[in-house]
Amino acid sequence: MELKAHKDEPERLVEIFYQNRDTLLKLKEKHPEWRTYLKPQVLEALREKGLPVD
């Protein structure tokens, strides 16, 4: 999946999120462990960009 290929690129993850918002929000609820796949600094960058990572 495209997410895995860009897991260390916050800018690209933001683009992917907004292109697939509904699907990713459903997956977020179904798989709460998803945060373990990202580095802490990537999670922080996504938070700063306003993405619902928590």
Side-chain angles (χ1 to χ4, degrees), residues 7-28:
K7 70 178 187 167
D8 294 330
E9 302 172 42
E11 295 295 329
R12 184 66 183 120
L13 290 175
V14 169
E15 292 174 22
I16 293 168
F17 174 79
Y18 286 118
Q19 292 169 356
N20 302 283
R21 183 180 176 91
D22 293 336
T23 301
L24 290 173
L25 288 175
K26 288 176 189 173
L27 288 172
K28 175 184 166 192

Side-chain angles (χ1 to χ4, degrees), residues 10 16 22 28 32 34 36-37 48 50:
I16 293 168
D22 293 336
K28 175 184 166 192
W34 71 271
T36 63
Y37 299 112
E48 289 173 2

Side-chain angles (χ1 to χ4, degrees), residues 34-47:
W34 71 271
R35 284 185 219 89
T36 63
Y37 299 112
L38 298 176
K39 295 178 182 176
Q41 57 269 33
V42 173
L43 278 172
E44 185 58 34
L46 296 176
R47 279 187 195 96

